[in-house]
Amino acid sequence: MADHGTAVIRTRELVKQFDTTTALNGVTVDITPGEVVVLLGLSGSGKSTLLRHFNGLEAATSGSVEVLGQDLSTLGGRGLRGLRRRVSMVFQQFELVGPLSVLENVCSGALGSLRGPRLGLLTYPTAVRRRALDNLERVGLGDRAFQRADTLSGGQQQRVAIARALMQDPEILLADEPVASLDPESATTVMALIREIARERELTVVCSLHQVELALEWGDRLLGLRAGELVLETSTQGLTKERVMAIYRSVATDEAQVRELRAELSAQDAAQQLVHADGTI
Amino acid sequence: MPAPALDAGAPADAGSARSIRPPFDLEKTSLGVVLVALAAVSVWSLGHLEMGALFGERARDNIVGFMGRAMPIEFPPVGEVASGVLVTLAIVIAGTALSSALSAPIAFWAARNTTPHPVVRNLARGVGVLSRSIPEIVFVIVLISVMHLGPLPAVVGFGLHSIGMISKLYADAIEQIDEGPVLAIRAAGGSRFQQNVTGVLPQVAPSWIATSLHRLDINLRGSVLLGWVNVKGIGYDMHHYQEMSHWGMVIGIAIIFFVMCVLMEIVSSTIRGAILKTEPTGRGLGARLARRAAARRAARAGEGAEPAAASSTTTATADRPAVPGRTLPPMRGSRLTTTLGGLAAVAIVVWSWAYPGINWADMIDVWTKLPDRLSNMFPLSLGSKSWEDVGGMIGETVLIALAATLIGLVLSLVIGSLAARNVAPNAAVRAVCRGLLVGIRGIPELIMAIIFIVMIGMGPAPGALALGIAGVGLLGKLIADSMEEVAPGPEVAARAAGATRLQVYATATLPQAAPAIFGHLFYLIDHNVRSSTVLGIVGGGGVGFWLFNAVRLSQYDVVLTITVLVVAVVLTVELVSMWVRRVIS
Ligand SMILES: Nc1ncnc2c1ncn2[C@@H]1O[C@H](COP(=O)(O)OP(=O)(O)O)[C@@H](O)[C@H]1O
Ligand SMILES: [Mg+2]
């Protein structure tokens, strides 16, 4: 387990209920500064919901969420915006404003630290535009600044979205299935970019993925969700795809086998525990 | 006027290695110039119209005096009201039904994917544009001169004018269909007519019905005007009492009319909602269609991009257990609703033609009288006016339309935005704004114009005000709907970056809705040019006043001249609008 004192994100028994669905069921995690954590899980397992708790896009039904030392349940409008400014988010569908230029989209990442509404590139301060162009060049798209955002390919749009996220000078980067809509080649480019930037800027990254291979390749640590519960928590060191799959499969079928696998795995990788302390799956 | 995403700034900073200013784009720059010029002219004409009078002492005295004369509000006897309401409803329904029937073939000719020939397509579109740009009241007036005064000229007049909008929206729906089923029928040796009826019609039926219902609303609101050309109905009663300055009664009837419009809108939007969601009309034919197209569907399924309507039909058919010996699905569920709804619609349309006492002989006689009337219209003539007078009147009409559009746009942006689910701060604000929009739509432009004339006297200002406010009902709703239709993702992204509500609105919502809003805006300008002509009837100024004088004096050559001029202005607006939309998207 991570050192509680330095955790940048910390949840305790987090439960999220949507009408009849329990999207998160008692999730307790700590995320330490500078690590790249991958959330793994099938579609519907609660990855997006968990990520959206980290910047207050969702509010917990019960349990607590603490981000950058602030308890989210105590934050209202202004306080929440102040926190969101320090936490960037990247989405599966990029979520650029299609009709606006690439550069204006990047600039919009700075809205949290600007006053008043902005419409049109020239309504942004020169300094913001300069920084936007720097960030755009960092993701390799400086030459696309004045193109409409919706004329770019998916991989390019996601890189623009990353540049937009960098405008916040974030401490944490949340990425919700950032490569799920991309071809394998663009996916690699985007994941590599996220990793590099995380290292350069000493960012903490929480990234959800549903492909085990990608998770093993790009993550420092895996958190596995299944039906809203945390069923896997391990370092990626020395972990193989087969083993992860086996754990997932057994979670669904055979309790005894799980325990066996878990024992095996923890023997090999004693530093990390797979499952909750209470032993439930 | 906002100009989102259009910052066409100066050329690059000479000094720096890379520019943070967008490069020069001729088309976008011209667009910016045109929009700014339009905005400037609108602002200027708004100032020119001296609306200040509206807030002056005299206006207040006038309205207080008017209120005094209008109180107490009176209502005509129930029998009189009922017959007025029913006749008006019948005329409007019959006219919309006629128009829908005429629009169907025109739409097939005008749609890219069903037209027999590009020449036919352009002709069909031309008919639509022409019909749209001639105000319904002009059709009615000319028809009255060749028919007996009564419901028939009104029905046909509304029918002809509505073709413009209905055939355009019908054709748009056809262009959006899934081509698969049509190809399947063609491949199976079906004729063009069979392709259209079996392949296209089931797919477009929900959208067509929704369009006709929408037009029914619009026609009902426009029907008051019929009273001013002596066609019986609720507008006739209103005009009658207005002539006698019996204001209590005028207000009473206006209230009845308002309730009627609001009820009609509720009924029609409920039906529209139900049809567009469940699409019951597609089922019966769709079932047969699906079997024929099954092979093609299977091939396409791999490609994935099938519209929901088509795939839901397929599933419904596949899941239905086969009953031996039955060739029709059981009469229950959506099939029963569709059948009953269809029968009710047919019954109502039949009633609408039977009830108001149409002079059927006119249908034949008109063809003998029409050539004469048409020959009266040529050569075109300005009557006693000089070109200079005419230029001035057209100019005034355009200025009224632009001023009205500006009033409409500003108010609509505020009310329409707040009426959008994703912009309104809470449900209560949204409900109030939506209610306000429905309420404004219920008050006919004509009634608003009369009220403003009472306050500040005749002239262009009351017309512009009335059109401007009436425009909010129309544009506000369209803006609200466009805003609700934007992709929510970019809004979430802005919110996640710590943007305020207003910042999210400006950066994510507005730019996404802008292309649609520009489309609606030009539609409103277009609408206002036509309506400002019509308001001439109550002394609203502009070319309309001249038009109705010409009618009174039976100068049909002048009527045609004015119509041609109005059509020319409307066409110009339409061309500019097409260009703007092309540059924006
Ligand atoms: N806004 C919502 N309203 C109702 N149910 C929701 C909502 N968001 C998510 N859910 C439900 O919560 C569960 C977890 O969803 P999600 O977090 O999106 O999963 P994932 O991102 O892992 O695919 C799913 O069953 C989903 O249907
Ligand atoms: Mg998700």
Side-chain angles (χ1 to χ4, degrees), chain B residues 132-137 161 218 222 225 397 400-401 404 445-446 449 463-464 466-468 470-471 474 523-538 540-545 547-548 566 570:
Chain B
R132 196 159 58 234
S133 41
I134 301 174
E136 59 261 61
I137 205 68
H161 172 71
I218 297 177
L225 203 58
T397 295
I400 291 174
E445 289 164 356
L446 194 65
L467 281 184
L474 200 68
Y523 169 65
L524 187 66
I525 297 180
D526 183 298
H527 170 90
N528 283 344
V529 170
R530 277 180 278 123
S531 297
S532 82
T533 310
V534 169
L535 286 185
I537 199 169
V538 290
V543 75
F545 197 64
L547 176 65
F548 287 97
V566 172
V570 172

Side-chain angles (χ1 to χ4, degrees), chain A residues 18-19 21 23 41-50 58 176-177:
Chain A
F18 291 113
D19 302 321
T21 357
L42 300 174
S43 153
S45 57
K47 303 182 298 294
S48 299
T49 307
L50 183 59
E58 300 286 0
D176 190 2
E177 306 239 20

Side-chain angles (χ1 to χ4, degrees), chain B residues 285-364:
Chain B
L285 285 167
R288 265 173 279 159
L289 186 68
R291 271 191 292 279
R292 281 196 229 177
R296 183 167 173 86
R297 282 263 166 72
R300 289 173 55 91
E303 296 159 33
E306 262 196 18
S311 56
S312 75
T313 316
T314 321
T315 339
T317 317
D319 292 349
R320 195 173 288 156
V323 179
R326 273 196 95 134
T327 55
L328 284 174
M331 182 56 85
R332 59 178 140 80
S334 72
R335 184 155 186 265
L336 183 62
T337 334
T338 308
T339 309
L340 290 181
L343 287 177
V346 168
I348 289 172
V349 170
V350 169
W351 167 83
S352 74
W353 283 86
Y355 178 79
I358 282 173
N359 188 337
W360 297 98
D362 269 348
M363 294 260 201
I364 319 247

